[in-house]
Amino acid sequence: MTRPRALRRPPRRAPRLATAVLAAAAALAVALPVPASAATEPSPTPTPTSSIAPGTTVFTLSPVSNGIVRPGDALTVWVSLQNGTDAEIPATDVTLSLGRTPLATRTDLRDWLGGDVEEAAVSPIAVEPLPAVQPGGSEEGAVTIAADDPALAGLTPGVYPLSASYAADTGLVTSTSALVVPDDAREPVAVGVVVPITAGPRVEGLLTSDELAELTAPDGTLTSQLGAVTGTNAILAVDPAIPASIRVLGTSAPQPALEWLAQLEALPNSRFALQFGDADVTAQLQSGLRRPLTPTSFTYAMSAGDFTATTPSPTPTPAPTPSATTVPGDTLPSTEELLDIGAVGGAPVYWPADGTADAEVVDALGGLGTDENPSLTVISSATTRTGSAGGTVAAHARLGDAEVLVYDSDVSTALQEGSSIDQTWLRGAPLTAATAYLSFATAESSGPLLVTVGRGEDRSRLGLGTAISAASAAPSVEPRTLATLTSSDAGTTELVDIDASPERAAAASGLVADEDELGRFATILDDPTLLTGRERAEMLQVLGVGWVGDPEWPTVLAEHRAATRTTLDSVSLLPTTPTNLFGSRAPLQFWVRNDLPYPVNLVLYTTPDNLRLDVQGETPVIATPQSNTRVDVPVQARVGRGEVTLTLQLRSPAFVAIGEPETVDINVWADWEGVGITALAVVIGSLVVVGVVRTVLRMRRRGRPVDAASPGDGEAEASSADDDGAEK
């Protein structure tokens, strides 16, 4: 066996690393096409902090220039060792090995990259010492094989196995990659690169002003995404929730967000709209819906004062610059205007969560277009029979009567991984894998190809831009627009069996049921969309593809449904207490609680359980926002006394029950007033009679003179006269 050759290097580590960095950076600058928007690759620091899981180590072989080596080119690779343990990894020698026989199929490549080191025969071509790695740290170094090295001589076009290994206490540790020798004489294949423009999983229906300001700042996620696609032929998959969030703010939108939106609209890239919030169409259709849900209204999020129109102000003399007067706009923008993502055209496109769309879902989505513009469903090649068997599937295909766009799952998975890595010495590993898979795909494809960089969040402009460049600038690739892909001949394909997700389908079904109930409840408003529009936007965000596989999603779902229930319970009658009713006519007072920020229209229906009380059956109510409103219900008592139970129920003008019914017991004293007056009259009359009798009796006792006609009086006078005569 030929003894491995050690590269010439300075004796001290710091100068050696500097030389390695310069060599790798030079090779990268020459061999890796970078989009106009991408920044210069940074040089690594001598000892960066490891970001791997605690207690693990990761050894990575990462070729520069995505592993592409043409005749006359040198081979440069990064080797890095990340230490997530609490123990130091001692210094070791890293052996770089290369196979002279190209891999035969993409299945062989998949096995090799998956760690099947027996899949191909490799021989050592260089040895590089790697310093000790401190706990929680990492070390990396560059290895370069000169262009005239015999190890690279005579390599014909193909994908060759490449590996790096070192001896550890537990055995030989190996990292596999590939070297790609392109066939520049091959006819280029049209390839579309789909790049999602999304804000990541969310709960609220729209982004707030503060969130937009952060996301569209110079270092914001949305700014990075737009910067990465500028100057490329990438196909944009835009979440319409982003432009809608900016437009609903009108003139109060942050200036960076307005500039971002203007830049998006000005880009010449072909594009299609994702579902609002990038909602999962598979879960919706499997819940029983016939078509995916769409936003209904954003009136709840708009203020008329934020939408103005400028009209010229007349001036008596010509002015160099015409002045303008700002007046409120006559109408708010429509839902369609708010959701516009720029020039689209062509067929509607649906992109379910990766690997979830079965034949029924694809068939349902395929029926949503028209004969002139049939709808398209984006699916993974791994879900097709050809792709799952290791074959290449052209971008445009037909599944029964439905048309689909098939993206290469192997290439796309590698591109997605590479787009999320910022370190140069790590990112090259997945991008080399993507390039190697593309080499097989372009050689085998019968038509244009489709790849994606996958859905992701918090990806840097450099990471995302480099991934796009790796796909669009790969050998034998010619970037093309969406129209080119859809206009190509459609082959036929079949899907493998795909297991449905009952949890997400059940969640979508529950959200739809909640929304239906909220829609009935919202009839208490003059504009029901103030509630239903918000609910639709939020439920689509909760169903976002970004939540698939997230362990926090069940909590998010439960909290949203609880919030909906709180809204449904926000209007009700306050609890009642037993009441005494004295008199035949008097109003009964009840209170309506309204926690909503809007006035609500209600009707209070009152029903007695017996005939002792006549009650006004329907009492209209306008409950003021976020307060308790008193309701007076006129009643009239009939003759008789007793207890009456009233049943109270609030309903909307559409006769929808609002809140739970309440009952109140009324103690009726219907004849108390008449009885009281009669008793008082009897008492007063009796007192008058008694007073007269007593007066007469008193006068008699006093013996006052009486009338001469009275016989008694005459006898008294005669007796008195006789007495006087006798005395004489």
Side-chain angles (χ1 to χ4, degrees):
M1 178 184 293
T2 305
R3 184 175 180 273
R5 301 183 303 282
L7 297 179
R8 290 182 297 172
R9 55 190 179 276
R12 292 196 303 271
R13 173 174 172 270
R16 177 186 62 79
L17 285 176
T19 302
V21 169
L22 291 175
L28 183 66
V30 171
L32 178 60
V34 179
S37 60
T40 304
E41 291 267 9
S43 297
T45 55
T47 308
T49 302
S50 175
S51 59
I52 64 173
T56 64
T57 62
V58 176
F59 178 56
T60 306
L61 168 62
S62 181
V64 173
S65 300
N66 303 335
I68 301 171
V69 177
R70 289 180 168 86
D73 290 346
L75 168 64
T76 301
V77 301
W78 286 106
V79 287
S80 62
L81 181 56
Q82 298 169 275
N83 183 10
T85 69
D86 295 330
E88 178 187 82
I89 300 177
T92 185
D93 286 338
V94 174
T95 301
L96 181 67
S97 302
L98 175 67
R100 299 284 303 177
T101 303
L103 298 168
T105 66
R106 75 156 66 203
T107 301
D108 293 339
L109 173 62
R110 187 183 302 151
D111 293 341
W112 171 255
L113 295 177
D116 188 353
V117 295
E118 302 297 330
E119 185 65 27
V122 294
S123 301
I125 59 174
V127 174
E128 177 73 12
L130 195 67
V133 185
Q134 299 301 317
S138 69
E139 290 288 345
E140 67 288 324
V143 182
T144 299
I145 307 299
D148 58 355
D149 192 297
L152 301 179
L155 294 180
T156 59
V159 177
Y160 294 84
L162 185 68
S163 69
S165 58
Y166 72 93
D169 294 339
T170 57
L172 192 66
V173 179
T174 301
S175 176
T176 56
S177 187
L179 180 150
V180 180
V181 178
D183 184 1
D184 292 329
R186 185 190 302 165
E187 189 71 22
V189 175
V191 175
V193 183
V194 177
V195 180
I197 306 296
T198 64
R202 300 184 46 74
V203 177
E204 297 81 9
L206 294 169
L207 295 157
T208 65
S209 179
D210 290 342
E211 290 171 331
L212 287 171
E214 179 181 352
L215 292 171
T216 58
D219 59 345
T221 297
L222 292 179
T223 301
S224 297
Q225 293 176 14
L226 220 54
V229 301
T230 301
T232 72
N233 290 315
I235 301 168
L236 310 183
V238 183
D239 179 1
I242 301 172
S245 298
I246 299 172
R247 293 191 181 106
V248 296
L249 298 176
T251 56
S252 65
Q255 188 61 32
L258 294 173
E259 294 172 355
W260 183 93
L261 181 59
Q263 183 183 356
L264 172 67
E265 294 172 336
L267 286 177
N269 300 64
S270 61
R271 65 196 70 188
F272 64 89
L274 296 168
Q275 297 303 109
F276 184 90
D278 194 17
D280 184 7
V281 294
T282 298
Q284 296 177 61
L285 294 180
Q286 290 177 344
S287 72
L289 293 174
R290 298 184 61 184
R291 62 187 308 130
L293 300 172
T294 58
T296 56
S297 173
F298 297 102
T299 305
Y300 73 91
M302 290 186 283
S303 173
D306 292 330
F307 297 88
T308 58
T310 55
T311 58
S313 297
T315 55
T317 58
T321 303
S323 59
T325 301
T326 300
V327 296
D330 294 332
T331 58
L332 298 175
S334 66
T335 302
E336 292 73 19
E337 292 171 332
L338 294 171
L339 296 172
D340 181 41
I341 64 167
V344 182
V349 180
Y350 299 94
W351 188 359
D354 296 342
T356 64
D358 57 20
E360 292 184 2
V361 170
V362 173
D363 183 65
L365 294 173
L368 300 180
T370 63
D371 293 337
E372 295 76 17
N373 283 318
S375 60
L376 295 161
T377 304
V378 180
I379 62 173
S380 167
S381 65
T383 63
T384 67
R385 296 197 181 279
T386 301
S388 63
T392 296
V393 184
H396 192 195
R398 186 177 294 278
L399 180 65
D401 294 332
E403 293 191 27
V404 294
L405 288 173
V406 185
Y407 63 87
D408 191 295
S409 59
D410 290 325
V411 178
S412 299
T413 300
L415 289 176
Q416 181 176 16
E417 181 182 352
S419 68
S420 62
I421 300 174
D422 287 335
Q423 296 89 346
T424 305
W425 58 96
L426 296 176
R427 186 171 55 239
L431 295 188
T432 296
T435 304
Y437 281 122
L438 261 177
S439 180
F440 283 108
T442 54
E444 300 169 356
S445 179
S446 59
L449 296 170
L450 181 67
V451 300
T452 82
V453 295
R455 294 170 166 101
E457 54 180 319
D458 297 331
R459 295 187 284 196
S460 70
R461 175 177 175 175
L462 180 60
L464 184 57
T466 308
I468 296 170
S469 177
S472 59
S476 302
V477 164
E478 195 171 45
R480 283 293 181 263
T481 64
L482 180 63
T484 301
L485 304 182
T486 57
S487 62
S488 63
D489 294 335
T492 58
T493 189
E494 295 181 5
L495 295 182
V496 297
D497 294 334
I498 298 174
D499 294 331
S501 174
E503 295 82 9
R504 289 188 63 82
S509 179
L511 290 172
V512 170
D514 290 348
E515 184 190 34
D516 290 342
E517 187 175 356
L518 187 69
R520 294 188 293 271
F521 174 82
T523 55
I524 62 178
L525 300 179
D526 292 330
D527 182 5
T529 63
L530 293 174
L531 289 181
T532 59
R534 182 191 299 273
E535 175 65 15
R536 174 64 62 86
E538 290 183 353
M539 66 183 286
L540 288 174
Q541 291 283 9
V542 171
L543 288 173
V545 171
W547 288 114
V548 175
D550 193 315
E552 295 184 5
W553 184 69
T555 301
V556 169
L557 174 66
E559 289 177 350
H560 173 81
R561 298 195 66 181
T564 302
R565 177 53 53 187
T566 299
T567 300
L568 292 170
D569 295 338
S570 61
V571 178
S572 67
L573 282 165
L574 290 179
T576 57
T577 56
T579 303
N580 292 315
L581 177 63
F582 299 101
S584 60
R585 296 177 182 271
L588 297 177
Q589 294 181 351
F590 305 103
W591 293 87
V592 174
R593 174 181 59 87
N594 176 18
D595 294 337
L596 294 175
Y598 318 109
V600 299
N601 304 309
L602 299 164
V603 179
L604 177 59
Y605 288 83
T606 310
T607 307
D609 67 342
N610 60 59
L611 300 178
R612 289 190 179 94
L613 202 62
D614 286 334
V615 183
Q616 179 173 289
E618 301 177 14
T619 305
V621 183
I622 298 179
T624 54
Q626 296 177 327
S627 63
N628 297 331
T629 302
R630 191 183 72 184
V631 183
D632 292 335
V633 179
V635 298
Q636 180 176 355
R638 297 185 176 184
V639 176
R641 287 173 291 176
E643 185 177 278
V644 178
T645 299
L646 298 182
T647 301
L648 311 174
Q649 176 66 69
L650 287 175
R651 293 186 180 273
S652 74
F655 206 68
V656 176
I658 305 299
E660 296 297 325
E662 293 281 344
T663 59
V664 57
D665 294 330
I666 308 296
N667 294 316
V668 180
W669 299 83
D671 53 353
W672 179 90
E673 188 177 26
V675 171
I677 293 174
T678 302
L680 182 61
V682 170
V683 170
I684 294 174
S686 300
L687 292 175
V688 170
V689 171
V690 171
V692 171
V693 171
R694 292 183 62 187
T695 300
V696 171
L697 293 176
R698 186 180 301 115
M699 291 177 65
R700 286 181 176 180
R701 286 195 299 269
R702 289 177 180 176
R704 65 180 184 180
V706 298
D707 188 21
S710 171
D713 293 343
E715 293 176 356
E717 290 176 356
S719 176
S720 177
D722 292 341
D723 293 341
D724 291 342
E727 291 176 358
K728 291 179 179 180

